[in-house]
Amino acid sequence: MATQLLDRSVDTQLTTGLTIANVGGDTATYNFATMPGNLPKKYGNTVYIWQTPTSSVPRNAKPLNHNPVRVDQPDGSDVFSSLQIGNLPYLIAYAVGDSVSRVCSTAFIPASGKDFSYVSPGVSRVGIGSTSQTFQYQLPQGMLPGEDGDWAGLWEGQDTGVLYDKDVKPKRHLQVKSEKHTDQETFTDVVLERGTEYIIGYFKGGFSSSDPDRRGLACSVSWTQEA
């Protein structure tokens, strides 16, 4: 059976978001909204900032500063200070872990101090075969999924809570081996049953063939199988 394109309007997508709430002469206040069930403090979530001219994550450059997330609820805010807003450009990045390799969402502040731009992670279904499910992922430029140990899993059900629960094993999971910040991957040897709910979770880092790390959940897509 050939791969079929899908009606993605029936899908529910969730992501990790980062937005700029306010900028002053030397400060930048940001808001974050992460995945339901995330415990940012417990899981070591960290926000980084670089002084850099582009929105690509400068993963090999030392960050100007970083803020460990201090709350164990999915949403929150914090501030970076001692900046030169209006003179220099900055990139703020949210990591679902305690290393730059787990960055999944970014907010770019141009030197003008306005017209911010954002990139959030995303995963979406692309096509289905008789025993396969293809999906596309998106990350900020500069991220290297293969090197970072990214992975994705496929579960029955639409409750994002299962994505953090190590006792609920996925039907399939795979290592993302591409080094592109956006690309496609395919779950194979899997049959999706009509009328059944499914969810795909994309994780920044932590791949293991037997027991992958669930703490780096960046985004998800869920749906009810139609055919």
Side-chain angles (χ1 to χ4, degrees):
M1 178 178 174
T3 299
Q4 299 177 348
L5 297 179
L6 303 171
D7 177 10
R8 291 185 289 179
S9 64
V10 300
D11 294 357
T12 299
Q13 293 176 291
L14 298 176
T15 189
T16 299
L18 181 68
T19 57
I20 303 300
N22 184 55
V23 294
D26 62 353
T27 63
T29 302
Y30 57 85
N31 298 326
F32 59 85
T34 67
M35 295 293 289
N38 185 27
L39 300 173
K41 181 179 179 180
K42 181 177 180 179
Y43 297 158
N45 289 193
T46 307
V47 184
Y48 297 92
I49 186 169
W50 290 267
Q51 193 281 297
T52 180
T54 73
S55 59
S56 179
V57 177
R59 53 187 296 134
N60 294 320
K62 183 179 179 179
L64 186 66
N65 201 350
H66 70 280
N67 286 339
V69 179
R70 302 175 179 86
V71 297
D72 265 336
Q73 58 191 32
D75 303 346
S77 63
D78 208 338
V79 61
F80 283 112
S81 58
S82 300
L83 308 178
Q84 297 182 48
I85 303 296
N87 293 313
L88 297 173
Y90 295 92
L91 181 71
I92 298 178
Y94 192 99
V96 283
D98 59 1
S99 70
V100 172
S101 66
R102 296 206 174 193
V103 163
C104 66
S105 185
T106 59
F108 181 65
I109 305 174
S112 64
K114 55 185 180 181
D115 298 325
F116 316 127
S117 61
Y118 305 105
V119 177
S120 294
V123 60
S124 58
R125 297 186 299 147
V126 177
I128 184 173
S130 58
T131 59
S132 65
Q133 172 67 69
T134 299
F135 65 91
Q136 181 156 342
Y137 67 84
Q138 173 184 301
L139 298 167
Q141 290 189 16
M143 302 313 296
L144 303 173
E147 180 178 321
D148 295 340
D150 291 9
W151 66 282
L154 171 67
W155 287 260
E156 287 190 13
Q158 292 193 5
D159 181 4
T160 56
V162 305
L163 303 181
Y164 288 106
D165 188 349
K166 297 184 69 172
D167 292 330
V168 182
K169 302 297 183 183
K171 290 176 66 68
R172 291 288 184 275
H173 78 284
L174 57 78
Q175 181 180 9
V176 178
K177 297 182 178 180
S178 172
E179 299 296 10
K180 298 178 180 179
H181 73 277
T182 181
D183 208 344
Q184 295 182 4
E185 296 282 354
T186 300
F187 295 109
T188 58
D189 299 320
V190 60
V191 176
L192 304 184
E193 299 181 1
R194 184 171 183 173
T196 300
E197 297 178 338
Y198 294 98
I199 187 168
I200 294 173
Y202 187 100
F203 299 78
K204 280 299 299 167
F207 172 75
S208 165
S209 59
S210 59
D211 188 24
D213 186 354
R214 305 286 188 90
R215 294 172 295 178
L217 179 62
C219 55
S220 69
V221 59
S222 57
W223 72 97
T224 299
Q225 190 64 28
E226 296 179 328

